[in-house]
Amino acid sequence: PSCPRILWGGAWPGGGSMSSEPAGEVPARPKLAIRTESTPSYATMSVEALAEELRGREGGRGVVVVDVRGDDRKGGHIPSSQWVAFPAFEAQAADRVAAWCSGGSSTAPAKICFYCQYSSERGPSCALTCAAKVAEAGFGDRAEVYLLQGGFHKWLNTFLGTGNEAALIEGFDPSLWVQQDSSWVYAPDVPFDFSCEENLPLHDQVEGQAEA
């Protein structure tokens, strides 16, 4: 049989897990928000800073953490994060922003922090869209938009094994991660050499775990 076309979760903003597609049949790539000089933008937040935000406020009150991944959320997530998969967020952005900003004030603006697996495509796109909606609605003094640096990959590798896992990592599934160069990597993002049948059983195994 012919080898499948592999779509990597980290590089493909619309999907979160490795999937198999017949050669020549590539699903439409969702459109990403593009930053321009006139586009309202966002700041970045380190994983350590977000952890402090979550520790320092009861239940993370005052900071809204938004996970915009797809199937790759199954490997684990940040506690209290809201799951709004990209590109669904694009259609819901105005309503979401209105709800998030209703709890803020001019003296204590709400912090809205987005992340995906690596915060390289889906997270930045949603953060840009959110920043634009905040500006359009006149909520600039009631909300600050952030992108989590390094995404969940950075979060996991920073806090796993520190003794704080219960407070900072929820739903971690080690069967969906592999250790590579002393770092945990989401298994479907590992660049396997599919030079055909000999590697297909491994792909099928990871695919089955992601869909379980």
Side-chain angles (χ1 to χ4, degrees):
S2 61
C3 287
R5 180 187 298 273
I6 303 303
L7 308 178
W8 305 110
W12 193 266
S17 62
M18 183 166 60
S19 62
S20 173
E21 295 288 342
E25 296 182 16
V26 180
R29 182 186 180 99
K31 291 184 179 180
L32 296 167
I34 304 300
R35 180 184 294 186
T36 66
E37 291 184 2
S38 61
T39 302
S41 192
Y42 55 83
T44 57
M45 185 180 293
S46 69
V47 294
E48 294 84 1
L50 179 57
E52 283 301 312
E53 289 279 350
L54 294 174
R55 288 193 198 103
R57 305 184 187 210
E58 183 180 350
R61 186 174 57 198
V63 57
V64 178
V65 184
V66 189
D67 185 342
V68 297
R69 293 176 296 169
D71 289 344
D72 41 344
R73 179 179 165 93
K74 293 178 181 178
H77 58 272
I78 298 173
S80 79
S81 60
Q82 297 184 24
W83 187 21
V84 190
F86 176 88
F89 174 76
E90 304 293 326
Q92 304 172 13
D95 291 339
R96 293 272 181 177
V97 165
W100 292 333
C101 291
S102 64
S105 70
S106 58
T107 57
K111 295 180 179 181
I112 307 170
C113 185
F114 290 85
Y115 75 93
C116 56
Q117 196 70 283
Y118 305 99
S119 287
S120 61
E121 288 192 333
R122 294 168 290 179
S125 179
C126 291
L128 280 175
T129 297
C130 182
K133 296 300 181 183
V134 165
E136 288 173 11
F139 290 141
D141 61 342
R142 301 174 65 182
E144 298 171 351
V145 182
Y146 293 86
L147 175 70
L148 181 65
Q149 293 175 334
F152 186 73
H153 175 264
K154 175 73 171 178
W155 183 272
L156 181 75
N157 281 283
T158 299
F159 298 118
L160 189 64
T162 62
N164 295 320
E165 291 92 337
L168 296 172
I169 301 170
E170 199 166 78
F172 174 61
D173 183 351
S175 71
L176 293 177
W177 297 82
V178 295
Q179 283 194 291
Q180 191 175 72
D181 298 326
S182 301
S183 175
W184 286 95
V185 180
Y186 188 60
D189 293 337
V190 176
F192 297 112
D193 176 17
F194 281 92
S195 53
C196 239
E197 288 87 351
E198 60 180 326
N199 284 324
L200 286 178
L202 179 58
H203 168 253
D204 292 340
Q205 177 185 357
V206 175
E207 187 83 6
Q209 290 170 352
E211 294 175 355

